[in-house]
């Protein structure tokens, strides 16, 4: 069954399995198409009449660059604001007026803000005005990062493609789970998979938030809350490592953490299952030793590149150009 159309993408709540499967299939198709000059030209001709605003007023490397390049792959032209001090917000213009102004010039707003809930606020505004444009949340404070969660799902599915996909897997999440928005969004998507078990490995002060745990309980998704890496490492099918989000510290909380308990190093990597996937949304701190990068289980660089292809798929879906890609015969360009 085809997934329903997508307009705003502000949180992971309404994302169902048919949309996930559709986006993953589309991502694979785009990735394969882009390998050939004919396929790349086909993609470039899909949305040349569309314009995107990249409003990123919180630091970003991967999300900004992958969305920017995803737009360019589809022929979408881009404008950007990367620092609120260069927008009329410094003259006192309200957030709502700024967003409405962007919407006067472009067909989609992709936004990252330090405050939680801003993408939802922008989407609510769009729903009240005569010419609404879609809002894509590219990271909103400490609450959500739904497009990262989608590329994480794609990376997990690819890692387990010969083993039945994500269903039935044991997925560890390690690091700063309280303040890390990627793991929060990813947990919400897990309700779409059967038999998944989650294992949280975090310093007590950075344990997964109660709101996410309540959601998991309500959805009947089993989780272990305060596991020690050394005790569980051999049981995991995937280990999603995150950095300590020190930018949110108010009294040096991160400096209290003993990284040895929350790191993958040459000393413990060998205890992971041979087919396990080590993931990280990046940027990394000391929690993954660079010498682990060559291990076949380390998929975080592939995960980073998957992000660009998944963001192409998201834009195709939002602009309802996905059918053209699904129908395109890959054999015609290979
Ligand atoms: N890049 C991810 C984010 O924007 C992860 C991180 O910063 O730790 O949330």
């Amino acid at each position: 069954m085809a997934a329903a159309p997508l307009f705003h993408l502000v949180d992971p709540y309404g994302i169902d399995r048919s949309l996930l499967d559709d986006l993953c299939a589309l991502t694979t198709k785009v990735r394969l198409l882009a390998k050939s000059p004919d396929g790349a030209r086909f993609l470039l001709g899909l949305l040349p009449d569309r314009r995107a605003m990249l409003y990123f007023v919180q630091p970003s490397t991967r999300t900004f660059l992958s969305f920017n390049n995803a737009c360019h792959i589809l022929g979408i032209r881009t404008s950007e604001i990367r620092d609120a001090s260069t927008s009329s917000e410094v003259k006192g213009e309200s957030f709502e007026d700024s967003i409405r102004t962007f919407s006067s010039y472009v067909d989609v707003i992709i936004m990252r803000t330090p405050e939680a809930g801003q993408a939802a606020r922008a989407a609510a505004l769009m729903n009240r005005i005569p010419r609404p444009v879609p809002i894509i949340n590219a990271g909103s404070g400490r609450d959500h990062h739904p497009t990262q969660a989608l590329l994480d799902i794609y990376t997990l599915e690819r890692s387990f493609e010969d083993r039945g996909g994500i269903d039935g897997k044991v997925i560890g999440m390690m690091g700063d789970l309280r303040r890390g928005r990627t793991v929060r969004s990813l947990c919400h998507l897990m309700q779409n998979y059967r038999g998944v078990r989650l294992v949280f490995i975090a310093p007590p002060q950075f344990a997964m938030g109660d709101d996410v745990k309540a959601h998991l309980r309500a959805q009947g998704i089993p989780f272990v809350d305060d596991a020690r890496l050394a005790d569980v490492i051999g049981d995991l099918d995937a280990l999603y490592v995150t950095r300590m989000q020190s930018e949110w510290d108010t009294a040096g909380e991160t400096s209290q953490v003993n990284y040895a308990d929350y790191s993958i190093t040459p000393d413990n990597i060998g205890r992971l299952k041979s087919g396990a996937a080590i993931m990280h949304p990046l940027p990394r701190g000391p929690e993954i030793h660079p010498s682990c990068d060559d291990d076949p289980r380390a998929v975080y660089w592939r995960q980073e590149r998957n992000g660009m292809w998944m963001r192409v798929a998201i834009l195709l879906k939002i602009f309802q150009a996905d059918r053209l890609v699904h129908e395109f015969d890959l054999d015609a360009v290979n």
Side-chain angles (χ1 to χ4, degrees):
M1 194 184 74
L6 183 64
F7 193 67
H8 302 304
L9 177 50
V10 298
D11 57 47
Y13 305 140
I15 299 178
D16 63 14
R17 181 71 182 256
S18 69
L19 180 57
L20 289 167
D21 289 348
D22 193 10
L23 284 170
C24 287
L26 203 53
T27 303
T28 295
K29 188 82 182 270
V30 163
R31 188 167 58 78
L32 299 177
L33 271 173
K35 286 182 195 287
S36 79
D38 283 352
R41 263 192 300 277
F42 163 74
L43 291 170
L44 189 60
L46 285 176
L47 295 168
D49 53 341
R50 300 297 182 149
R51 293 184 297 277
M53 174 75 202
L54 294 156
Y55 175 65
F56 275 62
V57 290
Q58 193 194 30
S60 173
T61 301
R62 273 150 290 273
T63 308
F64 176 82
L65 286 174
S66 61
F67 260 122
N68 200 31
N69 283 287
C71 287
H72 297 165
I73 286 167
L74 293 170
I76 301 173
R77 281 161 294 160
T78 51
S79 310
E80 65 189 59
I81 288 181
R82 298 209 62 183
D83 181 347
S85 71
T86 64
S87 91
S88 284
E89 284 173 271
V90 286
K91 299 182 192 167
E93 185 165 56
S94 69
F95 172 75
E96 269 79 8
D97 285 1
S98 298
I99 295 291
R100 187 164 182 166
T101 299
F102 305 151
S103 76
S104 297
Y105 305 129
V106 299
D107 305 296
V108 60
I109 299 171
I110 303 163
M111 56 181 285
R112 167 171 289 196
T113 57
E115 302 87 11
Q118 291 295 78
R121 237 174 106 186
L125 166 70
M126 287 300 121
N127 295 340
R128 294 196 298 270
I129 66 174
R131 185 187 173 276
V133 304
I135 300 291
I136 301 179
N137 181 0
S140 50
R142 287 154 49 167
D143 67 349
H144 281 303
H145 196 348
T147 68
Q148 173 76 43
L150 290 170
L151 75 91
D152 294 338
I153 287 289
Y154 182 69
T155 304
L156 285 165
E157 287 282 43
R158 259 187 98 186
S159 300
F160 304 135
E161 66 191 345
D162 301 332
R163 286 173 284 157
I166 296 173
D167 293 326
K169 299 297 181 291
V170 179
I171 300 173
M173 296 185 180
M174 179 167 80
D176 188 341
L177 306 183
R178 181 173 298 270
R179 304 180 297 181
R181 56 194 172 194
T182 68
V183 279
R184 291 174 52 78
S185 289
L186 188 55
C187 279
H188 279 276
L189 294 186
M190 287 301 161
Q191 71 195 52
N192 291 291
Y193 297 91
R194 285 180 300 277
V196 167
R197 282 183 293 137
L198 300 177
V199 180
F200 298 145
I201 306 151
Q205 68 274 34
F206 299 139
M208 181 57 83
D210 290 339
D211 57 335
V212 175
K213 288 189 283 195
H215 174 81
L216 294 173
R217 281 189 200 99
Q219 294 297 323
I221 302 169
F223 63 90
V224 178
D225 195 14
D226 52 0
R228 273 172 22 102
L229 180 62
D231 296 340
V232 297
I233 189 166
D235 303 331
L236 306 175
D237 295 301
L239 177 59
Y240 191 105
V241 186
T242 68
R243 72 182 171 90
M244 299 300 154
Q245 310 273 311
S246 55
E247 64 271 38
W248 300 110
D249 280 3
T250 50
E253 294 88 331
T254 300
S255 60
Q256 316 296 319
V257 172
N258 177 10
Y259 268 93
D261 295 336
Y262 307 101
S263 300
I264 285 292
T265 67
D267 293 335
N268 63 7
I269 195 169
R271 295 192 53 213
L272 278 164
K273 287 182 184 173
S274 59
I278 307 167
M279 296 172 60
H280 195 303
L282 302 174
R284 73 171 145 194
E287 63 279 352
I288 299 185
H289 193 277
S291 65
C292 298
D293 292 6
D294 298 330
D295 190 287
R297 289 166 288 198
V299 298
Y300 31 90
W301 296 112
R302 175 195 284 189
Q303 181 185 357
E304 173 177 270
R305 191 159 165 80
N306 285 342
M308 180 173 72
W309 304 126
M310 173 53 81
R311 287 167 174 135
V312 171
I314 291 166
L315 290 162
L316 285 168
K317 191 82 197 155
I318 283 179
F319 289 123
Q320 297 178 35
D322 48 322
R323 193 179 45 80
L324 297 171
V325 174
H326 280 310
E327 284 170 5
F328 193 93
D329 181 8
L330 256 186
D331 292 335
V333 294
N334 283 337

